[in-house]
Amino acid sequence: MATLGVSTVTGQTRILSCIAPGELRLSTTSLGVCGPNEVLVKVLRVGICGTDIHAFAGQQPYFTYPRVLGHELSVEVVAAGSPRDLDMLGRKGYVIPYLHDPDSPASRRGKTNCCERLEVIGVHRDGGMSDFLVLPARHVVPSDLLDAEQLALVECLAIGAHGVRRSELRAGETAVVVGAGPIGMGVIQIARARGARVIVIDPNSQRLAFCREKLGVTEAVDPREHSVEEAVAALTDGGLADVVFDATGNPDAIARGFALVGHGGRYVLVSLVKADITFHDPEFHRREITLLASRNATREDFDTVTRLMEAGALAEREMITHRAELEQMPAVMAHWCAPATGVIKGLVHVND
C-alpha cells in the first residue's frame, strides 16, 4: 500500500458507478494519486441518502453520468502525502464531502458549504462507493470515540444541524418539521436538543411512528387525515410555528409550508427541488416571514453532531434500517428507493 512521500499509488480498487438513471455497475480501476496535503482512505461504510436516490432516479439537478455515488462516508486513513498528516494514519473518521476553494469569497466568509466553486464528492466528482479514495486531508476528520456506522451518519445529521443553526431556533420555540425522512429526522433531533417543541408532518405512518417511538416526538400530523394548517393552528393556539423546516423535496409541500409560519417566523428550506417555488407575496409580507435556504453544512455543524453522538443524545443507530454489501448494490438500490420498502437509512458495507 502507499507510504508517505509516494505520490503514485499502485493497485486496484472496486468502484460502483451510476452509469445512467436506474443503472449501477461494479468495476475495478487503478488507485489514484496521493499527493501533498492529501490522504488515501479505505472506505468502511457509505450511507445512502436522498441525493443518491435522486441521482439514481435521474432527478438530481447537479448530477452528470457516469458518476461514483457516495458522500456519507466513514473511512480509515491508510496513507498520507504530507508529513503533517502522519498522525492520521490508521485512524477512523468521517468525511466532509464539500470540497471548497478556500480563496473564494464565500469561503473567506466562513460559508464553505456554499462556496462558488464547490464540488461535492459523489455529485460533482466521484464519491466513496469504492474500496479506496484519495481526499484532501482537511476534509477527513478523525474520531477515536465513534464507530464506523456512527461516522457514516455524521454528514446526514449535520445537514439538519446546519438548517437548525441557520434558523436561530431557541429553546421553547415551536418548530414544525415537514418531511420525516433522514434529513428531517436530523432536524428533529437537533431541534429537540436545542430545547424546542417539535411538531412533525409526514404522510408516512411508519415514519411518524418511528419519530414517536425513537425520537421522542409527541406531536405528529398525517396530512392524509387532517388539514395540516388547521392541525398546526390547533396545536399552537392559532400562533402557528416560530420556525418551519421543509425536508420533503416536494415543491407542492414547500409551497404549502408558507401557511404554517406564524407572524415574524422563519421558513427554512433544507430540501432541494428541481422546480420553481412560488408564494403569495401579500401574505408573506403581512406575516414578515424570513425565508432561508440551507445548503450542506460546515465544520461547526459536524462538530455539533459528533458532540451529541458522543453524549448519546441522538438516535443515529436506530435510523439504520437496511444494510448491504457493496457488490449487492446493483440489485438492491432500486428496492431501497421504493417507498414501500420502508428504508429510513440504508448503509453499505464496503470494508472492515
Side-chain angles (χ1 to χ4, degrees):
M1 194 51 65
T3 58
L4 177 70
V6 177
S7 59
T8 302
V9 180
T10 60
Q12 297 285 307
T13 180
R14 295 178 300 167
I15 60 170
L16 184 69
S17 301
C18 187
I19 62 173
E23 187 173 355
L24 297 179
R25 180 178 297 170
L26 188 65
S27 61
T28 60
T29 189
S30 298
L31 290 176
V33 173
C34 183
N37 304 316
E38 293 181 328
V39 291
L40 177 70
V41 300
K42 178 172 68 173
V43 179
L44 305 176
R45 306 288 188 275
V46 182
I48 299 296
C49 81
T51 297
D52 303 309
I53 291 170
H54 292 151
F56 184 74
Q59 299 171 345
Q60 220 290 335
Y62 304 135
F63 200 80
T64 58
Y65 304 87
R67 180 68 68 220
V68 179
L69 298 174
H71 64 273
E72 297 182 358
L73 309 178
S74 64
V75 300
E76 179 182 340
V77 179
V78 297
S82 296
R84 66 181 181 185
D85 299 318
L86 276 174
D87 62 346
M88 298 174 68
L89 293 178
R91 298 182 70 188
K92 294 180 173 63
Y94 66 82
V95 173
I96 300 177
Y98 325 121
L99 306 184
H100 66 280
D101 177 357
D103 295 322
S104 73
S107 294
R108 289 199 300 269
R109 297 196 305 271
K111 302 288 289 184
T112 57
N113 60 302
C114 60
C115 163
E116 294 87 342
R117 291 178 283 278
L118 187 74
E119 288 189 311
V120 180
I121 66 169
V123 178
H124 304 99
R125 65 165 67 182
D126 284 344
M129 290 279 196
S130 59
D131 289 309
F132 296 95
L133 187 65
V134 174
L135 293 169
R138 70 185 180 198
H139 286 266
V140 179
V141 184
S143 171
D144 298 320
L145 297 178
L146 302 177
D147 64 30
E149 291 200 339
Q150 290 176 296
L151 290 166
L153 295 186
V154 172
E155 192 272 347
C156 169
L157 293 169
I159 299 290
H162 185 70
V164 172
R165 182 162 64 87
R166 287 273 287 155
S167 76
E168 299 182 347
L169 182 68
R170 297 180 292 273
E173 288 192 309
T174 296
V176 170
V177 181
V178 188
I183 298 301
M185 290 181 184
V187 174
I188 291 165
Q189 293 180 76
I190 303 300
R192 282 177 48 78
R194 282 202 174 198
R197 174 194 183 189
V198 177
I199 301 169
V200 179
I201 313 294
D202 198 282
N204 187 315
S205 59
Q206 290 181 318
R207 291 197 171 183
L208 290 182
F210 182 93
C211 290
R212 292 188 185 98
E213 295 165 11
K214 303 296 185 181
L215 305 186
V217 171
T218 58
E219 297 168 309
V221 179
D222 185 336
R224 300 170 305 173
E225 300 176 357
H226 306 280
S227 161
V228 171
E229 185 175 354
E230 290 178 3
V232 172
L235 289 168
T236 58
D237 295 326
L240 300 176
D242 297 300
V243 184
V244 174
F245 298 93
D246 178 84
T248 65
N250 182 296
D252 292 333
I254 293 173
R256 291 193 297 269
F258 286 89
L260 306 179
V261 185
H263 286 249
R266 290 92 76 196
Y267 190 15
V268 184
L269 305 184
V270 184
S271 65
L272 171 68
V273 295
K274 198 173 182 178
D276 293 330
I277 304 301
T278 61
F279 55 87
H280 185 59
D281 191 54
E283 188 64 20
F284 180 78
H285 274 75
R286 188 174 76 86
R287 300 190 192 190
E288 198 181 48
I289 295 171
T290 299
L291 178 62
L292 295 163
S294 180
R295 187 182 182 195
N296 301 325
T298 67
R299 176 61 187 270
E300 180 179 350
D301 307 307
F302 282 84
D303 289 344
T304 294
V305 169
T306 56
R307 184 172 62 252
L308 290 169
M309 276 189 180
E310 290 167 359
L314 302 179
E316 71 279 358
R317 292 188 191 279
E318 287 85 349
M319 291 173 62
I320 304 170
T321 56
H322 293 69
R323 294 174 173 85
E325 302 292 326
L326 183 66
E327 59 270 21
Q328 296 174 312
M329 290 308 296
V332 165
M333 187 68 173
H335 180 67
W336 281 9
C337 292
T341 307
V343 175
I344 292 176
K345 177 59 65 175
L347 204 64
V348 182
H349 181 284
V350 183
N351 289 293
D352 290 318

